[in-house]
Amino acid sequence: MLWAVVASVLLAGAPPASALPAAPQVRVIEIPLGQNLLTLRLDKPMAASDAAAAARTLRQNMQAPVSDIMFCTTGRSYTDSNGTLNLARFCNLRQLRWDYRISPGVQAIIVGPVSETGLWYFIDGARQPRNAPHLEPRDYLFHGTMSGIDTGVTVTYQDYMTFRHNIGPGGTGSITFAGSVRMT
């Protein structure tokens, strides 16, 4: 009997489990890098500390692509933890060809196909026709051509890809890559 009284007094003084502050939860993980962004939306909330650990893992070895200049028949490659963008200029064809491969680290968290909106590009601020959208496997080499590229112009580009991921409870992820290049 005395044990029951002591237990009820001790329990009465302790806050109920529902009154304890819950660990912070998140539903979105964003990893920005210059003009590029990896966004992971979670189907269910996960602990903020777990989300931060996942973001640190994905952020390893990131390098931001910067505005650059390109001469005729030159190429540039930009790599960050999301993937690698290659640009190749062909002056005689007035083209800037591009390809993008999602990094092995991001491929490892993708489940199912990747949906690409099709690269948008602008020549000296004037919007050009969008490249074709794709629905492809995670290891696909996304690619396309920007036409009408002449010496002296600045080309600005952006692409957006979405996919399902397996981080925490799973969810939807996206990669946005963008940049600008001056043709000289």
Side-chain angles (χ1 to χ4, degrees), residues 32-105:
L33 180 65
Q35 297 179 41
N36 300 324
L37 178 66
L38 173 65
T39 302
L40 302 174
R41 287 179 176 68
L42 306 171
D43 289 342
K44 297 177 185 173
M46 77 185 288
S49 58
D50 293 339
R56 277 191 302 276
T57 300
L58 293 169
R59 194 178 290 127
Q60 293 173 351
N61 301 319
M62 290 181 112
Q63 299 173 4
V66 297
S67 294
D68 206 345
I69 60 170
M70 291 187 76
F71 300 94
C72 287
T73 62
T74 60
R76 295 283 186 266
S77 184
Y78 307 97
T79 300
D80 64 25
S81 66
N82 296 332
T84 298
L85 171 68
N86 294 299
L87 298 174
R89 182 173 177 202
F90 297 88
C91 291
N92 58 333
L93 301 173
R94 300 179 61 224
Q95 292 179 345
L96 185 60
R97 296 180 187 167
W98 67 273
D99 64 63
Y100 185 85
R101 185 173 309 275
I102 298 171
S103 72

Side-chain angles (χ1 to χ4, degrees), residues 17-27 45-51:
S18 62
L20 295 175
Q25 300 279 306
V26 298
R27 290 194 71 112
M46 77 185 288
S49 58
D50 293 339

Side-chain angles (χ1 to χ4, degrees), residues 93-96 121 123 128-129 131 145-150 155:
L93 301 173
R94 300 179 61 224
Q95 292 179 345
L96 185 60
Y121 70 103
I123 299 174
Q128 304 299 308
N131 285 185
T145 301
M146 294 176 259
S147 298
I149 309 300
D150 295 313
V155 178

